[in-house]
Amino acid sequence: MEVIVLKDYEEMSKKAAEIVEETVLANEHAVLGLATGSTPVGLYENLIEGNQANRVSYKNVKTINLDEYLGLSKDHSQSYHVFMYEQFFKHIDIQLENTFIPNGTAEVPEEECARFEKLIDEKGPVNLQILGIGTNGHIAFNEPGTDPNSVTQVVELNESTREDNARFFENSEDVPTHAISLGLKTILKGEKIVLLASGKSKAEAVQRLLSKEVSIDFPASFLWNHSNVTLLIDEDAYSAVRAANAR
Ligand code: PGA
């Protein structure tokens, strides 16, 4: 795992955008694995700028998202479909039919999971996977305890995750209880993985990740089993490690 510590959120986002742009410039048909949440918003802003300045085109790029809330329709304001469209897709020259996100309102969610896993095998491999990390170490919605051999499945969100995400909803009880999430095995099939973490709220999770202990209690630790992972973090997210090193 390559660890790169950047000054702040802006620098982290810029560095992440550079890596995405290099990938797309090297392969105009690249398959990008994309994430939602607060962390990648700055990355998407930088990519939009690069696209609008005609530096990089997404015309032939495919994107595959990590997860979607179960029960939220594609036009629900807090669905990841709307997030991706508003934060990224509507601003760039990507073809929407080349963007793939699990359907949170499929009649039989388990069938949707199987369809999505197959789709990843058909469209993939994902050349570059962008990931965030939850305060509890989740990646996508793979909560602590998730089988490292898991594929795309319906998952139950931990209470701490629902609390972390309550800020996006009007009422905390509106946060869905379940989601469709790519499994850990699915994510680790990505050729290159970039994990982003920013802010003091992620400092403990980053410290635990960098302890290198691989444990089912901390899903992000399975990234140690992958040979091409870059961790991009800002000083705040690195602060617990720095403090421990200074001791
Ligand atoms: P965040 O979420 O970017 O909103 O902090 C990260 C995650 O839960 O994976």
Side-chain angles (χ1 to χ4, degrees):
M1 187 179 294
E2 185 186 11
V3 182
I4 304 179
V5 183
L6 288 313
K7 183 164 70 78
D8 55 20
Y9 179 73
E10 279 67 40
E11 294 301 315
M12 180 201 75
S13 301
K14 255 189 229 160
K15 181 72 193 167
E18 263 171 44
I19 297 173
V20 174
E21 290 186 344
E22 271 168 24
T23 303
V24 175
L25 288 172
N27 173 13
E28 62 173 312
H29 294 277
V31 180
L32 302 177
L34 298 182
T36 51
S38 304
T39 311
V41 170
L43 158 65
Y44 296 142
E45 283 169 5
N46 279 281
L47 295 179
I48 291 165
E49 200 186 303
N51 182 244
Q52 294 184 349
N54 289 325
R55 221 171 39 235
V56 182
S57 168
Y58 295 85
K59 221 163 59 202
N60 297 313
V61 165
K62 290 189 184 67
T63 66
I64 296 175
N65 265 76
L66 288 169
D67 41 24
E68 178 58 286
Y69 286 119
L70 200 67
L72 297 198
S73 64
K74 290 177 184 174
D75 56 3
H76 187 286
S77 63
Q78 295 311 322
S79 73
Y80 289 158
H81 278 80
V82 167
F83 177 98
M84 289 310 302
Y85 184 71
E86 293 295 330
Q87 302 292 334
F88 192 34
F89 297 152
K90 81 169 180 188
H91 306 283
I92 60 168
D93 64 348
I94 198 159
Q95 305 185 60
L96 284 178
E97 63 266 31
N98 287 339
T99 66
F100 303 96
I101 305 176
N103 175 8
T105 51
E107 214 164 292
V108 184
E110 289 70 21
E111 280 176 13
E112 171 62 6
C113 294
R115 180 192 75 86
F116 208 75
E117 187 70 23
K118 195 161 154 249
L119 181 146
I120 296 169
D121 283 336
E122 282 165 11
K123 311 283 178 196
V126 167
N127 303 118
L128 174 64
Q129 176 67 59
I130 302 297
L131 286 182
I133 182 170
T135 52
N136 65 359
H138 73 209
I139 49 175
F141 275 131
N142 293 294
E143 302 283 27
T146 303
D147 182 347
N149 284 316
S150 56
V151 294
T152 305
Q153 60 178 344
V154 174
V155 295
E156 184 172 4
L157 306 188
N158 274 14
E159 241 354 88
S160 69
T161 296
R162 295 187 68 232
E163 281 163 24
D164 285 347
N165 290 3
R167 67 189 191 278
F168 299 111
F169 292 81
E170 220 161 281
N171 302 300
S172 52
E173 57 272 26
D174 295 343
V175 184
T177 56
H178 291 76
I180 291 177
S181 175
L182 265 63
L184 290 172
K185 192 173 153 196
T186 320
I187 293 171
L188 291 178
K189 282 196 287 197
E191 290 177 342
K192 177 180 173 68
I193 297 177
V194 171
L195 177 72
L196 306 174
S198 163
K200 286 231 155 63
S201 66
K202 299 292 168 69
E204 245 177 73
V206 166
Q207 185 176 30
R208 187 153 175 199
L209 175 62
L210 291 181
S211 76
K212 300 191 186 171
E213 188 200 330
V214 177
S215 156
I216 198 161
D217 298 329
F218 195 74
S221 66
F222 289 108
L223 294 171
W224 286 104
N225 295 343
H226 191 283
S227 59
N228 192 352
V229 178
T230 300
L231 181 61
L232 296 183
I233 49 182
D234 65 9
E235 279 292 345
D236 281 345
Y238 194 62
S239 57
V241 179
R242 247 200 227 295
N245 287 346
R247 247 174 253 141

